[in-house]
Structure formats: C-alpha cells, structure tokens
Amino acid sequence: MAERLILLDFEKPLAELENRIDQVRNLAKENGIEADDKIVEQITQLELRADSLRQEIFNSLTPMQRMQVARHPRRPSTYDYIQAMTDDWMELHGDRRGNDDPALVGGFARLGEHPVIILGHQKGRDTKDNVARNFGMASPGGYRKALRLMEHADRFGIPVITFIDTPGAYPGVAAEEQGQGEAIAVNLRQMFSFGIPIVCTVIGEGGSGGALGIGVGNHLMMFEHSIYTVATPEACAAILWRDAAKSYKAAEALKITATDLKSLGVVDQILPEPIGGAHRNPLAAAATLKEALIGNLDRLIQLEPGQLKQHRYEKFRQIGVFLE
C-alpha cells in the first residue's frame, strides 16, 4: 500500500482499479462473505484486468515516462541491492585527500562465490537523506574515493561492480574548484588500464559525466526502465529550445531508453523488471541483477588481464561506428 502513495501520472487508472479491488475485498470481509463464489469471481476478474492494464501501461511507456519510473523515490538504490544480493559487505570511506562523499559509496562484498568491490551512487529515501547525499550527485572526492578502491581491486585481482544512479556529477562551484572534470577524466583513463573484470549496471538514472565516472567496464547492463543519457531531457530542452517544458521532445531525440541504447550498441544487456517497475518488487529485481552479475563475472574472470583491457578498449571503440 505504501507504494500507492507515490503515484506517477500514467499509473492513476491502474491505482483506481486497485482501490476498487481493495474496496470490494474489504466490504466482503466486513459482511462475512469473502468466501462467496460470486465475490471471489468478481475479485479474480478485477485482478486479471489490473494485471492486464499494468502490463499494457508498462509495455508502452514513452521515454519521458520511463524517466519518471527511473526516478521513482521507491526505486531500489545501491544499498538496497547490496543488502539483497551480497554477503560480508564492508563499506570503505574516504579518498585519502580529506573527503568522504556520501553520494558515492563503495566497499568489499561477496557475490555468490566471487569476492568483489562494489561502487555505486546513492540517493536518499526522503528529503533529509537526499540533502545529506546530495541527491546522488557525487563530488570530486566521491570519484577519487572510487578510483582509490578500483586501484586496490586491480592490485589484488578483485572484480569491480558499479551501480550507476545519478542525474549527473555535482555542478556546484566548490566541486569545480576541487577539480570535478579532472577527477572524472582520470577515472575514465584509469578504468581502461585495469586488468580486472568490471561490470557496470544502470539501476536508475545514468546522467552525463557523473555516470561515466564509474561507467567504463567490460560489460554494461541496464534495467529496462532505467535511462542513460549525455544530459537530462530538461537540461537539453533548456539549452536547445530555451524551454524546459519541451523535455519530452528532448527525451525522444536523446535515445535515453535501454531499448534504444541496446540497438545503438551502447548497452550490452537489458535486465527485465517486475511489471510496474523495480520498486514494485525489489527482491525480484535484485535476484535478476544478481544472476546477471554472477553470469558475467563467471565469463570475464576466465580472461587474462591483457585480454580484459583489450576487450574494454574494443568495446568502446565500436560505440558510434556507422556505415554510410
């Protein structure tokens, strides 16, 4: 019931139908007729209609609607997936330069039989938590912390898993003064040099250089309702048309959805979500992600360090190639 308190516009017809099911069920219970054949049949028919409507709605989402799902406040976060999928999680802090950014978290864990280092953007659950974590927008200290952990992983031959979920790197004056662009650029360069498996997953919103700062891997996955984009549709519309209201038009043009990016060769694998989005059934989403991660790690750990570097290089060289 808690999820229904946060409704997206296109979910309202579905919510009305689900409320009607609850009303029928509650009335039947109050009158002691919940076992009546006609009541059971009516509820069953309404539930079938709700399932059909939910599938119809979520199979025909526009790019802008998918972005709304990707930004849903109840959508599972990095910590949620870590808790649901891994054992022996030990978070590590600090970039050893005086900063510890809570918007980008990382540490050791065990995923199945694999010891791994996990890195990911972390948004908040409420306003206070979002402010504390800067809405998942990492500062230079966050990217330098990530680099420190990846260098440690490379030194000891530990695979790296990254979870991408940010509208972008923090664009504030302080971040620029501390070298935001340089910190991301160094991460991009160094991630190409690591001789370990790196698997990246867009779990929600992947925006701009903030996503790329932990996004150079041997295998890139996206949940089907997540988005990955060079700039948010709102920012793109404001730049091109000086009108943020045209963000729906920008979302279409930017090709931000998993399906579009898979067809363009940017994304390697699309992970299915429970009908209604990952926030409807976080444990099912986590099980899907865990299976995909273990499968890819099993495959990639068979490669030598030099092969992993070459694989990563060729993967990114092929992005954007086209024939006239």
Side-chain angles (χ1 to χ4, degrees):
M1 290 296 290
E3 290 170 359
R4 297 180 196 175
L5 299 176
I6 305 174
L7 285 175
L8 303 176
D9 291 341
F10 56 85
E11 290 182 300
K12 288 179 180 177
L14 178 61
E16 291 172 2
L17 184 54
E18 290 177 332
N19 286 336
R20 184 178 171 189
I21 293 171
D22 287 340
Q23 288 172 0
V24 172
R25 186 177 282 115
N26 290 335
L27 283 172
K29 189 174 182 180
E30 289 174 4
N31 291 282
I33 56 173
E34 64 266 29
D36 184 85
D37 290 343
K38 290 185 178 180
I39 296 297
V40 172
E41 183 181 356
Q42 183 181 1
I43 291 174
T44 301
Q45 289 177 350
L46 288 172
E47 287 177 336
L48 289 173
R49 194 187 310 172
D51 290 341
S52 177
L53 179 59
R54 185 181 297 110
Q55 190 134 11
E56 180 183 339
I57 289 173
F58 280 86
N59 284 343
S60 58
L61 294 179
T62 67
M64 203 65 185
Q65 289 171 334
R66 288 189 188 278
M67 187 176 73
Q68 288 180 272
V69 179
R71 292 174 173 175
H72 196 288
R74 300 285 183 188
R75 193 168 178 86
S77 67
T78 291
Y79 276 146
D80 294 327
Y81 285 121
I82 289 171
Q83 183 177 8
M85 297 189 311
T86 69
D87 299 310
D88 304 325
W89 164 248
M90 179 183 293
E91 185 172 354
L92 300 178
H93 296 274
D95 65 350
R96 298 299 185 265
R97 300 185 187 182
N99 295 296
D100 180 32
D101 185 2
L104 207 162
V105 300
F108 289 104
R110 183 171 293 278
L111 181 66
E113 299 299 319
H114 299 286
V116 295
I117 279 183
I118 298 178
L119 302 166
H121 301 100
Q122 179 64 37
K123 295 180 178 178
R125 277 293 179 217
D126 52 34
T127 302
K128 184 179 179 181
D129 195 19
N130 259 319
V131 170
R133 295 193 180 276
N134 204 27
F135 297 85
M137 295 185 292
S139 66
Y143 292 104
R144 289 171 182 141
K145 174 170 66 174
L147 179 60
R148 178 176 75 83
L149 298 185
M150 288 188 286
E151 287 175 340
H152 184 89
D154 187 54
R155 189 176 303 118
F156 292 98
I158 303 172
V160 169
I161 291 170
T162 74
F163 296 144
I164 298 167
D165 188 17
T166 180
Y170 180 52
V173 173
E176 297 300 330
E177 290 175 345
Q178 294 166 17
Q180 184 71 284
E182 183 267 353
I184 292 173
V186 170
N187 278 24
L188 296 178
R189 182 190 68 195
Q190 293 302 107
M191 290 183 81
F192 277 106
S193 73
F194 294 143
I196 50 174
I198 303 175
V199 181
C200 309
T201 307
V202 183
I203 60 173
E205 181 180 12
S208 192
L212 288 177
I214 56 170
V216 177
N218 296 96
H219 193 78
L220 174 62
M221 303 187 292
M222 285 181 70
F223 273 108
E224 65 173 308
H225 296 314
S226 60
I227 63 168
Y228 199 34
T229 176
V230 68
T232 64
E234 296 92 340
C236 181
I239 293 168
L240 293 182
W241 299 293
R242 299 178 184 272
D243 184 1
K246 292 185 178 179
S247 55
Y248 70 92
K249 187 176 179 180
E252 293 278 354
L254 284 167
K255 305 297 182 186
I256 64 177
T257 68
T259 304
D260 284 334
L261 292 167
K262 180 71 164 61
S263 68
L264 291 170
V266 176
V267 173
D268 300 304
Q269 184 178 353
I270 299 174
L271 303 178
E273 296 187 28
I275 297 298
H279 59 281
R280 281 277 182 170
N281 193 339
L283 291 180
T288 299
L289 178 56
K290 182 177 182 178
E291 181 181 1
L293 287 171
I294 291 176
N296 283 295
L297 287 177
D298 288 341
R299 172 177 60 87
L300 290 170
I301 61 174
Q302 305 301 320
L303 302 179
E304 296 294 326
Q307 292 175 308
L308 287 165
K309 295 178 188 179
Q310 186 63 26
H311 176 273
R312 206 174 301 133
Y313 171 80
E314 292 175 356
K315 168 182 164 56
F316 279 83
R317 287 293 291 174
Q318 290 171 4
I319 294 175
V321 172
F322 66 94
L323 297 175
E324 293 185 353

